[in-house]
Each structure stands twice: as C-alpha cells, then as structure tokens.
Amino acid sequence: MKNVLVLCTGNSCRSQIAEGYLRHFAGEKANVYSAGIETHGVNTMAVMVMADDGIDISAHKSNHVDEYLNIPFDYVITVCDNAQEACPYFPGDVHRFHHNFQDPAKAKGNHEEVVNEFKRVRDMIKIFAANFVKENIR
C-alpha cells in the first residue's frame, strides 16, 4: 500500500480536491492525505463542486503538514508553487511531483463565474489525479 501526501498552501481547495480524486481513483491501493503549509479550513465551494462530480469531501479537515512528518510517504505531490518552495524534508525514498494549479479561491466575478473557475480547476486536478494513479499506483 502506497502513502501519498498532497500539499498546498492552506489545505482548503486544491489539495482537498486532489485528495478526493486520488482516493477515488486509487481505491484500496493507497493511503491518501492532504495538508497545507498553513491551515485555512476546507473551502465550501470546493466541497460543492466535488459533490457535483459525485465525490464527497465534506468530512475532510484542513491539516498542517507537521502532522504528517512521521508517515513514510512514497509520494509527495505539491499542487502550488508556494507549497513546493516551503515543503519540508521527508526522509526515505520519497518521490516528489509538482503541478501548479491556479487557486480557485482567488477567482473574481459573480457567483456563476467563481463556480465555473472552481469547476475548471477541479477538472484539471481530476485529470492529473487519474493519470497519477494510472502511472504510479499499482
């Protein structure tokens, strides 16, 4: 069983969405965690757009990366440049992956425009997660 950590700045949107999809695609083949360099709470819009795609992340919590320093991770995935720069050292044979997704929480506009930005980022993360699992979790 592989251990996977998804890391972003506040563990509120991108890493939560990635955790949801990685768990969905990996099933019983991986333990998936998400954390932030800071904790901002899970964004309700992220919960909503994931529910729209059939993934329930409503019970997720915003966790700080320090909570997971003792877990032997196989993979650490950073989903924003800030997290990549601030990511702590994890001992062992840890494979690091990075993809900078735009922060949908910074979207401007009316409600529909903001929702559309969350969905756009969600869909990019979904593709990334599906490909990651196909290529790395066996």
Side-chain angles (χ1 to χ4, degrees):
M1 173 103 51
K2 301 292 184 182
N3 288 323
V4 180
L5 175 65
V6 185
L7 189 62
C8 72
T9 301
N11 194 218
S12 67
C13 295
R14 295 164 288 186
S15 56
Q16 295 289 348
I17 291 169
E19 177 186 356
Y21 281 127
L22 288 166
R23 284 181 180 206
H24 173 74
F25 292 124
E28 299 295 318
K29 296 177 188 169
N31 296 312
V32 181
Y33 306 84
S34 69
I37 304 304
E38 307 163 2
T39 55
H40 296 168
V42 180
N43 187 295
T44 57
M45 192 74 70
V47 173
M48 183 191 79
V49 299
M50 288 298 283
D52 286 348
D53 198 32
I55 307 287
D56 182 7
I57 64 168
S58 62
H60 285 200
K61 305 249 184 298
S62 185
N63 299 296
H64 193 275
V65 66
D66 289 349
E67 297 174 44
Y68 299 123
L69 293 178
N70 294 323
I71 294 176
F73 287 107
D74 299 287
Y75 303 103
V76 174
I77 304 167
T78 50
V79 292
C80 71
D81 289 342
N82 183 47
Q84 182 187 30
E85 294 167 12
C87 185
Y89 171 76
F90 288 92
D93 187 22
V94 179
H95 301 278
R96 288 177 166 240
F97 293 82
H98 176 67
H99 191 291
N100 185 48
F101 294 99
Q102 289 182 331
D103 187 353
K106 294 182 178 177
K108 303 283 189 228
N110 63 36
H111 180 74
E112 182 180 351
E113 292 167 330
V114 171
V115 169
N116 286 339
E117 178 63 6
F118 266 84
K119 287 180 178 180
R120 185 185 73 79
V121 173
R122 175 204 65 195
D123 292 346
M124 290 190 310
I125 294 172
K126 181 178 185 178
I127 292 166
F128 174 85
N131 289 334
F132 179 86
V133 168
K134 186 192 308 182
E135 295 168 9
N136 298 286
I137 308 295
R138 294 181 174 83

